[in-house]
């Protein structure tokens, strides 16, 4: 493509005198047909291509001889099924999945034997275990620093290959599998700083202590049907997210032991409160809690503290309120607290419990309420509950 810049001749102004010197103008190199992108070094080309999918990277091989082998040394391998299927036409879905799998193997086999930085697989369809295992094996062999797998496998939980354990180069890991992941008792990932687990089944959490440099942890859609005590012991953890913590997936009475003295940020989304057995959160600053509430309250078996008598007709609302209060009390050092509006509604229904369990938030400065409605008011007794421990509290919606 030729770009032409037209610049009109400038005439001297009335108060200006011509200099008498001939005017010279350098013609812009943009007027030429020069392919300036192709002259860039590979390291810059790879950076540009890191923003697109692997199939689009491979397609650059037809541009010119310069681009013929660029994809073979590209260190960012992003395999996205949706992008692949939109670019590769096929009449049958099964053919698309098979072609996508064949494409991945094609790239791995023909790629130069160089270090890769990131490998990503995103296909929300039933995937072969062998494909996931092959990608992880390739990542270990080529010292990949970041692995991201977002897929599904319904026959049985995906098992990590043995070569994955004690993997020294890995810094970021995402394993999100609908259908489940079978985790070992130890990961031994010494350099790992970011971990995102989704769909993991019946593990006690002790694997987190085998990643000594872990700083960011996200746990999502996990199943703990047989686990009585779930442990998160991470000395360097700074950010923790527990998402989709659902009653039907968690064993009745399951308790969480959280020891993270450097934790500054905590986020929780679920439909039942967490039950703590032991907590150490002395550095916590920011807390975000969203509780998704069932409408059919009689089908929701809330847990009740044994030493507090609750009448049968009040058991559901009172039990939920008490459990929620006890969960929130463990965040007593927080400076900023964000709550969904239905949490405020639950707290407003248990005024006696609020009086019996005073607010421990002595450091709280900001209370933020999540709501989609504009006309929302904070019940006075709930506001007073927080103000008793923090008189300079700022409330926002």
């Amino acid at each position: 493509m030729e770009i032409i810049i037209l610049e009109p001749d400038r005439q001297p102004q009335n108060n200006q005198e011509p200099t008498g010197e001939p005017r010279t103008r350098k013609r812009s190199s943009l007027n030429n047909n020069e392919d300036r992108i192709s002259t860039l070094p590979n390291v810059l080309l790879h950076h540009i291509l890191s923003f697109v999918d692997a199939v689009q990277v491979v397609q650059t091989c037809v541009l010119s001889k310069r681009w013929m082998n660029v994809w073979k040394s590209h260190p960012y391998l992003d395999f996205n099924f949706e992008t692949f299927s939109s670019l590769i036409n096929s009449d049958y879905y099964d053919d698309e999945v098979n072609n996508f799998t064949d494409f991945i193997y094609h790239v791995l086999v023909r790629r130069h034997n160089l270090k890769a930085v990131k490998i990503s697989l995103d296909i929300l369809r039933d995937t072969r275990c062998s494909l996931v295992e092959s990608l992880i094996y390739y990542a270990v062999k080529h010292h990949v620093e970041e692995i991201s797998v977002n897929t599904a496998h319904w026959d049985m939980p995906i098992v990590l290959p043995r070569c994955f354990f004690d993997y020294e180069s890995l810094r970021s890991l995402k394993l999100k599998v609908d259908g489940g992941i079978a985790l070992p008792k130890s990961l031994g990932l010494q350099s790992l700083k970011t971990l995102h687990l989704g769909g993991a089944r019946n593990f006690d959490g002790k694997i987190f202590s085998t990643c000594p440099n872990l700083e960011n942890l996200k746990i999502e859609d996990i199943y703990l049907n047989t686990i009585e005590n779930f442990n998160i012991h991470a000395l360097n953890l700074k950010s923790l997210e527990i998402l989709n913590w659902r009653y039907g997936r968690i064993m009745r009475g399951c308790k969480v032991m959280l020891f993270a003295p450097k934790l500054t940020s905590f986020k929780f989304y679920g439909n039942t409160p967490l039950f703590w057995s032991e907590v150490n959160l002395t550095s916590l600053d920011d807390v975000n809690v969203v509780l998704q509430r069932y409408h059919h309250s009689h089908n929701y078996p809330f847990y009740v503290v044994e030493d507090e008598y609750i009448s049968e007709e009040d058991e559901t609302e009172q039990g939920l309120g008490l459990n929620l209060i006890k969960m929130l009390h463990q965040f007593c050092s927080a400076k900023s607290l964000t709550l969904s509006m239905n949490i405020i509604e639950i707290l407003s229904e248990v005024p006696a419990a609020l009086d019996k369990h005073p607010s421990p938030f002595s450091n709280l400065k900001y209370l933020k309420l999540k709501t989609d409605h504009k006309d929302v008011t904070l019940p006075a007794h709930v506001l007073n509950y927080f103000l008793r421990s923090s008189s300079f509290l700022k409330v926002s919606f």
Side-chain angles (χ1 to χ4, degrees):
M1 179 177 66
E2 184 178 5
I3 301 175
I4 301 176
I5 301 177
L6 298 177
E7 181 178 348
D9 292 335
R10 296 182 180 178
Q11 299 296 331
Q13 302 296 326
N14 293 334
N15 59 349
Q16 291 179 341
E17 296 182 2
T19 60
E21 298 179 358
R23 288 183 296 115
T24 60
R25 183 187 305 158
K26 294 183 179 179
R27 188 176 299 274
S28 173
S29 60
L30 292 176
N31 289 335
N32 301 328
N33 290 323
E34 180 185 1
D35 181 6
R36 300 183 67 183
I37 294 181
S38 295
T39 62
L40 296 175
N42 276 6
V43 63
L44 291 181
L45 294 181
H46 290 322
H47 175 71
I48 295 172
L49 295 176
S50 68
F51 297 98
V52 299
D53 184 83
V55 65
Q56 296 167 318
V57 174
V58 173
Q59 286 177 331
T60 62
C61 69
V62 301
L63 296 177
S64 67
K65 290 183 178 180
R66 169 70 177 93
W67 290 86
M68 188 174 297
N69 294 311
V70 170
W71 69 272
K72 293 182 179 181
S73 59
H74 188 53
Y76 303 94
L77 305 178
D78 185 5
F79 300 107
N80 186 288
F81 177 74
E82 297 300 326
T83 304
F84 180 87
S85 61
S86 66
L87 296 174
I88 308 299
N89 295 324
S90 178
D91 295 332
Y92 301 99
Y93 170 76
D94 289 342
D95 289 343
E96 286 186 347
V97 174
N98 291 332
N99 290 338
F100 180 65
T101 303
D102 292 341
F103 168 74
I104 293 175
Y105 285 126
H106 169 86
V107 172
L108 297 183
V109 169
R110 287 172 169 74
R111 184 178 178 275
H112 292 161
N113 191 27
L114 299 173
K115 178 182 176 180
V117 175
K118 177 182 178 181
I119 289 183
S120 175
L121 173 66
D122 194 340
I123 172 172
L124 300 180
R125 303 291 188 273
D126 201 352
T127 308
R128 303 175 193 170
C129 284
S130 58
L131 176 60
V132 177
E133 292 173 357
S134 297
L135 282 175
I136 292 178
Y137 177 80
Y138 187 91
V140 174
K141 184 179 179 181
H142 292 81
H143 308 289
V144 172
E145 297 178 4
E146 182 177 352
I147 298 175
S148 177
V149 175
N150 184 21
T151 186
H153 186 73
W154 299 106
D155 292 341
M156 62 183 67
I158 289 181
V159 179
L160 299 175
R162 291 184 178 181
C163 65
F164 181 74
F165 309 130
D166 300 321
Y167 179 16
E168 296 183 357
S169 302
L170 193 62
R171 295 182 177 273
S172 177
L173 173 64
K174 176 182 178 180
L175 289 175
K176 191 173 186 296
V177 181
D178 289 344
I181 311 168
L183 294 174
K185 293 183 178 180
S186 173
L187 287 177
L189 302 174
Q190 301 295 315
S191 300
L192 191 68
K193 291 191 174 183
T194 299
L195 176 60
H196 180 179
L197 286 179
R201 293 177 179 269
N202 293 320
F203 68 111
D204 60 11
K206 292 181 180 180
I207 61 170
F208 303 131
S209 64
T210 66
C211 304
N213 293 301
L214 188 63
E215 296 181 356
N216 306 288
L217 175 61
K218 180 186 289 189
I219 307 170
E220 185 176 6
D221 292 312
I222 62 174
Y223 294 77
L224 303 177
N225 309 95
T226 63
I227 303 299
E228 295 182 0
N229 295 288
F230 187 68
N231 301 277
I232 302 177
H233 190 284
L235 296 178
N236 290 303
L237 192 66
K238 298 178 181 178
S239 173
L240 172 62
E241 296 182 38
I242 301 178
L243 308 180
N244 290 335
W245 182 269
R246 308 190 69 82
Y247 168 78
R249 301 171 182 173
I250 309 299
M251 182 178 181
R252 183 181 177 90
C254 175
K255 295 183 178 180
V256 177
M257 192 282 283
L258 177 57
F259 184 79
K262 295 183 180 180
L263 190 72
T264 59
S265 175
F266 177 83
K267 180 183 291 186
F268 175 85
Y269 283 26
N271 65 5
T272 186
L274 285 171
F275 294 89
W276 306 107
S277 63
E278 183 180 348
V279 178
N280 184 339
L281 300 175
T282 55
S283 300
L284 193 61
D285 287 332
D286 184 67
V287 175
N288 188 324
V289 180
V290 173
L291 193 66
Q292 301 159 335
R293 195 176 181 188
Y294 275 150
H295 294 289
H296 303 289
S297 58
H298 294 292
N299 296 327
Y300 198 112
F302 303 121
Y303 307 129
V304 181
V305 181
E306 295 179 357
D307 61 351
E308 296 182 357
Y309 175 77
I310 298 173
S311 62
E312 183 176 353
E313 63 269 17
D314 291 336
E315 180 174 349
T316 297
E317 296 298 338
Q318 295 290 332
L320 175 59
L322 286 171
N323 292 329
L324 181 57
I325 290 172
K326 290 184 178 296
M327 172 185 171
L328 295 177
H329 275 210
Q330 299 301 327
F331 309 132
C332 58
S333 64
K335 297 177 182 177
S336 174
L337 182 62
T338 302
L339 302 176
S340 58
M341 198 60 201
N342 58 354
I343 290 180
I344 301 300
E345 294 173 359
I346 294 170
L347 294 178
S348 69
E349 294 167 355
V350 289
L354 294 179
D355 292 336
K356 188 173 182 179
H357 303 275
S359 171
F361 300 101
S362 58
N363 297 326
L364 192 62
K365 296 181 179 179
Y366 305 98
L367 176 62
K368 305 174 184 177
L369 304 181
K370 279 189 174 181
T371 178
D372 296 328
H373 306 285
K374 294 182 179 180
D375 299 328
V376 176
T377 58
L378 182 62
H381 62 286
V382 176
L383 176 61
N384 290 333
Y385 169 75
F386 289 102
L387 288 176
R388 287 170 193 161
S389 59
S390 180
S391 56
F392 298 99
L393 182 64
K394 295 182 180 179
V395 181
S396 62
F397 293 85

